[in-house]
Amino acid sequence: MVTSHVAKARHLLLASAAMTLILGASPVLAQDAPPDPATALEDHGTTPQDQYQPSLDVLAEQDVTAPGAPEGVAALTDEQYNEANKIYFERCAGCHGVLRNGATGKALTPDLTRELGFDYLESFITYGSPAGMPNWGTSGELNEQQIANMANYLLLDPASPPEFGMAEMKETWEVKVAPEDRPTQQMNDWDLENIFSVTLRDAGQIALIDGNTYEIKRVVDTGYAVHISRLSASGRYLMVIGRDAKVDMIDLWMEEPDVVATIKVGSEARSVETSKMEGWEDRYAIAGTYWPPQYVIMDGDTLEPLKIVSTRGMTYDEQEYHPEPRVAAILASHYRPEFIVNIKETGKIQLVDYTDLKNLKITEIETERFLHDGGLDSTKRYFITAANARNKLVVIDTKEGKLEAITDTGGETPHPGRGANITHPEYGPVWATSHLGDDSVALIGTDPEGHPDQAWQIVSSFPALGGGSLFVKTHPESDHLYVDATLNPDAAISGSVAVFKVSEMKAGEDPEIITLNLAEMAGITGGQARAVQGEFNKEGTEVWFSLWNAADQESAIVVLDDKTLEVKHVIKDERLITPTGKFNVYNTMGDVY
């Protein structure tokens, strides 16, 4: 039940992606979604007066004193403020930023939110938008009082987050099992290459699931809301990083795989990776943080922090100082001993040569602002990444170490995950992305030798199910392209995936959409189970989707036969609490997507 002024304000809700909350928790807006008044929140500026008033979400686990309320804004008690602070950290900061100044989502600084007012904010939080903002109230995820607190919270001045340097990192660093005490060979009988590392978001765990038997082999405690899992080049060590910036190294060779080293590298983070260049396999790991804005290179056996690099600096375009350039995607080059690091707010990609940490060499490439996620083309030479708030794709030649192209996707807020490499019948090798802000899927040509006229151009754009998509997926052995719509507030859409048959795609024509309602197929009736992040098994014969429900509702993993698109298995288990990302060891180790 919502208050009467919320109900009256329902038709004023935004339908844009302005307040999109990446991987926030759940469920469903009524089908009569409100119309789009479109422009209530302005783009966050790049001038000093528009930037970076101190903020909050990194203080989620600390009790802080509520700031004073200006005239016309309701004050929160310390208890209410700390609860709202925690909600913001867990649900909102991924898009709107540690300092509430946006990137994928728009700015939520008090100068903007106070213009909108309490009623407007409370309504938007309650009902969400079709472009990806979850409907926290009608889904039951937040109660009436929590929503009111969040609306007031966004009207208040935020608190200042702390720095996190070498001393703080070393205080958290722990080697639980020394390298010399670890196994010298695999001590279990697991088919390690077909193990899935599955994020159990709200439980602060990952589940290791056997891709052959669908058995949950082990659940491992990790940081909160693991964002990604990455494998060392050898496939022995599984690295996971939570949104709380806790990195855990899991030794898959142990009889019971478990954490052998851990470190907290900041207050909020998204990315971890290991060195993959021949001769440097497993030598180093790297983790990038949203706060503080920096990345750290660590020892690949122990996670000992060796080198911290700040990303604070000037934006590439207006050459103005930016105090919060967050580190988004990080990949390891297969062509050079380098890490590829996306610096979100300044619009720069750094190629970090890890051969000599004392005399560190960094190639800084000016690209486009608000760099987020991305992946490699089928040759693993070209890194394609989304500058999502600018609706562009950036292409980096990792062999030559230079910018190759920047192109507009034609859609609103591209969010590819690692993307998907397919061979189009007419355009040849292409890489796909979907979008948060609309229903479009864009294909970019990736074959400069075989199809030079189409290289790095958007060769096709076609509709999928709706806005709110987070991931596209395929496999070299598959003839299908899968597209989710996880953050769409329509229950029928968010619980489904769109499937396109690659071999039947034609130039200039929208391919046929096959819609699979996975929530229905899995028999999930309570809450709102959202289909998210397809991941193939090692052989490319099955694709797994999480059905991500609220923590107190039943979730599941649906395993589809890629040839028939029929359900092969549904994994249900009380331990599957809010499953989201899944990472197959073989595919993740080899960047197969």
Side-chain angles (χ1 to χ4, degrees), residues 357-373:
L357 300 189
K358 290 292 185 182
N359 300 283
L360 193 66
K361 296 178 182 178
I362 298 175
T363 300
E364 188 171 83
I365 303 174
E366 294 184 354
T367 60
E368 183 56 277
R369 294 187 66 191
F370 313 118
L371 298 160
H372 193 62
D373 52 353

Side-chain angles (χ1 to χ4, degrees), residues 121 211 354 547:
L121 294 170
Y354 48 72
L547 286 171

Side-chain angles (χ1 to χ4, degrees), residues 195-206:
I195 292 292
F196 286 75
S197 173
V198 180
T199 297
L200 306 180
R201 187 189 191 279
D202 291 359
Q205 298 172 323
I206 59 116

Side-chain angles (χ1 to χ4, degrees), residues 78-125:
D78 289 351
E79 182 180 0
Q80 290 172 329
Y81 185 82
N82 280 291
E83 181 184 18
N85 200 40
K86 181 177 178 62
I87 291 171
Y88 184 86
F89 168 71
E90 293 181 348
R91 306 301 189 198
C92 315
C95 255
H96 299 295
V98 174
L99 300 182
R100 276 170 50 186
N101 286 269
T104 302
K106 301 296 175 64
L108 294 175
T109 49
D111 59 319
L112 299 175
T113 57
R114 288 172 190 169
E115 288 187 14
L116 295 174
F118 175 87
D119 288 356
Y120 193 95
L121 294 170
E122 189 176 41
S123 300
F124 194 87
I125 294 167

Side-chain angles (χ1 to χ4, degrees), residues 70-263:
E71 184 178 353
V73 176
L76 293 178
T77 66
D78 289 351
E79 182 180 0
Q80 290 172 329
Y81 185 82
N82 280 291
E83 181 184 18
N85 200 40
K86 181 177 178 62
I87 291 171
Y88 184 86
F89 168 71
E90 293 181 348
R91 306 301 189 198
C92 315
C95 255
H96 299 295
V98 174
L99 300 182
R100 276 170 50 186
N101 286 269
T104 302
K106 301 296 175 64
L108 294 175
T109 49
D111 59 319
L112 299 175
T113 57
R114 288 172 190 169
E115 288 187 14
L116 295 174
F118 175 87
D119 288 356
Y120 193 95
L121 294 170
E122 189 176 41
S123 300
F124 194 87
I125 294 167
T126 299
Y127 293 104
S129 87
M133 168 72 177
N135 46 310
W136 303 102
T138 56
S139 71
E141 186 68 24
L142 298 180
N143 62 39
E144 182 180 336
Q145 186 60 56
Q146 288 173 319
I147 291 171
N149 289 346
M150 287 304 298
N152 278 319
Y153 174 84
L154 295 175
L155 297 170
L156 298 175
D157 293 325
S160 298
E163 297 296 320
F164 208 93
M166 184 63 77
E168 289 79 8
M169 287 188 196
K170 286 198 171 180
E171 284 183 4
T172 71
W173 171 51
E174 181 182 1
V175 179
K176 295 177 178 289
V177 182
E180 60 270 21
D181 296 329
R182 298 173 195 167
T184 57
Q185 60 183 357
Q186 184 179 338
M187 300 301 292
N188 55 60
D189 61 357
W190 299 11
D191 179 3
L192 291 182
E193 289 189 338
N194 205 27
I195 292 292
F196 286 75
S197 173
V198 180
T199 297
L200 306 180
R201 187 189 191 279
D202 291 359
Q205 298 172 323
I206 59 116
L208 298 175
I209 303 181
D210 190 317
N212 302 312
T213 66
Y214 316 120
E215 174 190 0
I216 299 177
K217 304 289 285 187
R218 187 162 175 78
V219 174
V220 181
D221 291 334
T222 61
Y224 171 76
V226 164
H227 192 66
I228 58 171
S229 298
R230 288 289 181 263
L231 273 298
S232 63
S234 66
R236 172 176 183 171
Y237 292 118
L238 172 66
M239 308 280 188
V240 299
I241 188 166
R243 289 182 175 237
D244 57 1
K246 184 172 182 283
V247 181
D248 291 300
M249 173 191 283
I250 299 167
D251 187 353
L252 297 178
W253 281 10
M254 295 172 67
E255 185 174 354
E256 291 286 339
D258 210 342
V259 175
V260 294
T262 186
I263 188 172

Side-chain angles (χ1 to χ4, degrees), residues 18 38 77 114 186 258 347 354 390 417 444 462 472 491 527 536 541 552 556 565:
T77 66
R114 288 172 190 169
Q186 184 179 338
D258 210 342
Y354 48 72
R390 293 281 173 90
I444 183 173
F462 51 86
V472 291
F536 276 84
T541 57
D552 61 350
L565 301 183

Side-chain angles (χ1 to χ4, degrees), residues 203-518:
Q205 298 172 323
I206 59 116
L208 298 175
I209 303 181
D210 190 317
N212 302 312
T213 66
Y214 316 120
E215 174 190 0
I216 299 177
K217 304 289 285 187
R218 187 162 175 78
V219 174
V220 181
D221 291 334
T222 61
Y224 171 76
V226 164
H227 192 66
I228 58 171
S229 298
R230 288 289 181 263
L231 273 298
S232 63
S234 66
R236 172 176 183 171
Y237 292 118
L238 172 66
M239 308 280 188
V240 299
I241 188 166
R243 289 182 175 237
D244 57 1
K246 184 172 182 283
V247 181
D248 291 300
M249 173 191 283
I250 299 167
D251 187 353
L252 297 178
W253 281 10
M254 295 172 67
E255 185 174 354
E256 291 286 339
D258 210 342
V259 175
V260 294
T262 186
I263 188 172
K264 190 168 166 56
V265 295
S267 300
E268 187 182 354
R270 295 295 186 277
S271 302
V272 68
E273 181 60 290
T274 65
S275 53
K276 292 181 177 177
M277 186 66 185
E278 184 177 356
W280 294 88
E281 297 94 337
D282 297 7
R283 183 81 63 88
Y284 294 118
I286 182 174
T289 49
Y290 271 23
W291 190 268
Q294 61 194 28
Y295 54 87
V296 57
I297 300 173
M298 301 165 285
D299 181 86
D301 286 328
T302 66
L303 298 184
E304 178 185 4
L306 303 173
K307 186 81 169 184
I308 301 174
V309 180
S310 173
T311 57
R312 289 182 171 103
M314 313 305 286
T315 61
Y316 90 92
D317 48 3
E318 298 186 18
Q319 298 290 296
E320 292 184 344
Y321 178 73
H322 201 301
E324 193 204 357
R326 295 173 287 174
V327 178
I330 301 176
L331 274 78
S333 173
H334 292 263
Y335 283 84
R336 291 153 52 134
E338 292 177 340
F339 293 120
I340 306 160
V341 181
N342 274 0
I343 313 299
K344 185 185 288 275
E345 276 75 16
T346 53
K348 299 174 181 178
I349 292 176
Q350 292 187 359
L351 307 181
V352 183
D353 185 331
Y354 48 72
T355 58
D356 185 352
L357 300 189
K358 290 292 185 182
N359 300 283
L360 193 66
K361 296 178 182 178
I362 298 175
T363 300
E364 188 171 83
I365 303 174
E366 294 184 354
T367 60
E368 183 56 277
R369 294 187 66 191
F370 313 118
L371 298 160
H372 193 62
D373 52 353
L376 300 170
D377 79 312
S378 59
T379 70
K380 299 182 176 59
R381 173 173 174 173
Y382 297 98
F383 174 54
I384 309 168
T385 186
N388 52 22
R390 293 281 173 90
N391 304 323
K392 296 184 185 299
L393 295 177
V394 173
V395 183
I396 300 295
D397 184 340
T398 67
K399 182 178 180 180
E400 298 298 327
K402 64 182 182 67
L403 176 68
E404 186 72 18
I406 300 176
T407 187
D408 196 301
T409 68
E412 181 70 28
T413 319
H415 192 281
R418 290 172 287 179
N421 290 297
I422 63 176
T423 301
H424 191 281
E426 297 181 49
Y427 298 128
V430 299
W431 182 90
T433 182
S434 55
H435 294 79
L436 269 167
D438 62 35
D439 65 356
S440 67
V441 178
L443 306 181
I444 183 173
T446 61
D447 185 16
E449 294 186 5
H451 298 78
D453 293 341
Q454 296 153 7
W456 320 128
Q457 305 298 315
I458 301 299
V459 297
S460 180
S461 180
F462 51 86
L465 295 181
S469 177
L470 293 179
F471 301 104
V472 291
K473 195 64 185 178
T474 192
H475 187 278
E477 299 300 319
S478 173
D479 190 36
H480 292 123
L481 174 66
Y482 297 83
V483 183
D484 65 28
T486 309
L487 296 185
N488 195 289
D490 186 319
I493 294 175
S494 63
S496 300
V497 295
V499 189
F500 301 93
K501 198 167 186 64
V502 174
S503 61
E504 295 180 0
M505 291 181 175
K506 297 179 181 179
E509 296 183 13
D510 292 342
E512 178 186 356
I513 302 176
I514 303 169
T515 301
L516 302 179
N517 190 322
L518 300 185

